[in-house]
Each structure stands twice: as C-alpha cells, then as structure tokens.
Amino acid sequence: MMRLDKFLADMALGSRKEVKKIIKKGNVKVNGKIITSDKFQVDEKCDLVFYKEEKINYQNEFYYLMNKPQGVITATTDNVDQTVMDLFQDSDYRLDLFPVGRLDKDTEGLLLITNDGPLAHHLLSPKHHVEKEYQATVSGIMSNKDVTAFFKGLTIDGDENCQPARLIIDSIDKDKEISSIRLILQEGKYHQVKRMVKAVGKEVLNLKRLRMGSLLLDENLDLGEYRELTKEEIAQLKSL
C-alpha cells in the first residue's frame, strides 16, 4: 500500500507537489471513484488507478536498451557535454535512471539504463564474470600472438593486470594495416579495450559495444535511439 500522490509521482505524472494539485482537481479515479485526497492509500498491485480516463499501471523498475552514439557522455548530468540521459523523451525520463557502466565519449553501442541498483551492481561486479563484447577497428595487424597474450591476461600501463580476455580477429587489411576485431571481457577497467590494444603495440580507431551478458545490441535501433527491455531480456539478465 502507498499514498496516491506517491503512486502518481512514481509514474512520472509530476512532482509530489504537482500531483497533489492534480488529485485535488478531481482528475484521478481509484476503482471507479473520484479521489481528491493525496493521502488516500492505494494497493499498487491490484487497485485500478485512472488519470483523466487513462489507466496508470504502477511500475517501480525501468530498463532501457540504448544504442549510444559517439560524442555523448555516459553520465546523468553534465554542465558542458550532452549526456545519454539528454537523449530520453520527456515521457520516459526519470530522475532515478542511470547508465550501467560507462562507454567513452567516442565509443558507441549497447548501453543499459535502469533504476535497478542491485542488478547494475551484479552486472558490473568482476566476481560475477558477466561478459562484455566489443567490436573494434584497430590500426595495426593483430596476430595469433596477440590472441594468446589476451587469453593469458595482459598487464597494461606497466603495472595493472587484466583478467584473461577472448580476442577474435574477424578480418585484416594488410594494405591499410588495419584489423577488425571483437574482444570479450569480464571486467570493466577505465579505457580497458584501448589500453589492452595499446599494450600489444596497436591503436583502437573506433569502438562499439555489442553485448552485455545476454543482452544484445538491437540492430533496429539507430544511434541515439532506445527502447524498453522485454520481459524475457530482463529475466535473462537477472538470471546471470
């Protein structure tokens, strides 16, 4: 059970102050009856709540899959740069939403945005070994020697050890000395992909995240677009 004003505020109909005014104007019905008291108790699991004849279904956890573009930073707010939260429509935006992990400003691809703190912690914790898969274009010729080095675990910047990672060489352009690779990690150190590639004498030219655990980048999403996760996708993430 919860107060009616909290129910409506949680569903982003406005601040607690704003929804109190909505309720007092008689715009809210609970189980067919107009309610004008913001203190009225509702059962979010079974009561039928309507605002101006529109049914309001209660939801306290939200999950979005975004195809992050380059040039946008992975943060909730910033005084200079555009953030991933700035890409949200007003109807979907909530103050408690946050991105799970970070993608560099010049990195694009899969980004999970939610208000589910326990799930975010689980996905990011190294002890749970949740895989993150990236696709990169690299300046330099990646080799089987590099595959072995990544598999054994690299030391980056002289003293920082990385867990073993799986390097897959998809193609090589010997004339341009460029390699197309995928890299599967189970941790998320700062600039990790770029620093690992640098440790074997190459340079990342562009980078995209394709997967986090069971969650795949949706090819139907253009850069900057997002969608809600399906029930199946949420269940799979929670089972990792």
Side-chain angles (χ1 to χ4, degrees):
M1 299 290 288
M2 67 172 62
R3 286 172 52 130
L4 181 57
D5 57 349
K6 182 180 187 307
F7 180 104
L8 297 176
D10 283 354
M11 293 303 95
L13 263 71
S15 65
R16 290 286 281 269
K17 183 178 180 180
E18 290 169 337
V19 299
K20 287 177 188 292
K21 294 179 180 179
I22 290 173
I23 295 167
K24 288 181 179 180
K25 287 181 179 179
N27 290 325
V28 180
K29 290 182 180 180
V30 179
N31 299 327
K33 181 180 178 181
I34 294 175
I35 303 297
T36 57
S37 171
D38 53 77
K39 298 178 182 178
F40 185 84
Q41 294 289 313
V42 296
D43 186 334
E44 67 275 14
K45 295 180 181 179
C46 62
D47 282 342
L48 300 178
V49 180
F50 286 80
Y51 168 62
K52 291 185 176 180
E53 308 306 322
E54 178 184 354
K55 186 180 179 182
I56 307 298
N57 294 311
Y58 188 78
Q59 182 180 353
N60 59 356
E61 292 178 338
F62 296 81
Y63 307 86
Y64 295 96
L65 169 62
M66 176 179 286
N67 187 1
K68 176 193 171 298
Q70 295 184 16
V72 178
I73 65 171
T74 308
T76 54
T77 59
D78 191 87
N79 293 327
V80 177
D81 292 308
Q82 184 182 33
T83 75
V84 293
M85 299 311 304
D86 293 329
L87 300 177
F88 270 72
Q89 298 178 16
D90 291 343
S91 57
D92 296 323
Y93 178 79
R94 296 174 56 89
L95 285 174
D96 57 353
L97 289 172
F98 60 89
V100 179
R102 300 185 67 85
L103 288 181
D104 297 340
K105 185 176 180 180
D106 61 352
T107 300
E108 62 185 51
L110 182 150
L111 187 65
L112 174 62
I113 297 176
T114 183
N115 63 347
D116 187 341
L119 176 64
H121 176 75
H122 179 87
L123 294 175
L124 296 176
S125 174
K127 69 179 183 180
H128 292 125
H129 307 292
V130 176
E131 292 184 343
K132 291 88 176 174
E133 182 174 353
Y134 297 84
Q135 181 184 66
T137 302
V138 174
S139 175
I141 304 299
M142 302 295 283
S143 66
N144 288 331
K145 181 179 178 181
D146 297 325
V147 173
T148 300
F150 276 73
F151 180 76
K152 290 181 177 179
L154 288 171
T155 299
I156 55 179
D157 296 335
D159 60 355
E160 188 172 357
N161 295 323
C162 294
Q163 295 178 7
R166 184 181 175 195
L167 170 63
I168 302 166
I169 303 173
D170 288 324
S171 65
I172 293 175
D173 187 326
K174 292 185 178 179
D175 293 332
K176 295 181 179 179
E177 294 191 343
I178 290 177
S179 305
S180 178
I181 68 168
R182 280 174 290 143
L183 187 60
I184 301 174
L185 311 174
Q186 292 184 347
E187 56 186 347
K189 297 179 183 294
Y190 180 70
H191 292 327
Q192 184 169 353
V193 174
K194 296 175 182 176
R195 294 161 70 200
M196 292 179 78
V197 169
K198 183 179 179 180
V200 294
K202 286 83 173 177
E203 179 186 2
V204 170
L205 300 177
N206 59 65
L207 185 63
K208 175 194 288 188
R209 182 155 65 188
L210 303 176
R211 177 171 64 89
M212 174 181 279
S214 57
L215 186 62
L216 301 174
L217 179 62
D218 190 333
E219 295 181 352
N220 293 317
L221 290 176
D222 290 333
L223 288 169
E225 291 186 339
Y226 64 91
R227 65 164 174 81
E228 288 190 73
L229 266 63
T230 65
K231 292 181 179 179
E232 291 75 18
E233 288 171 331
I234 296 169
Q236 289 173 353
L237 284 177
K238 290 187 174 184
S239 68
L240 292 175

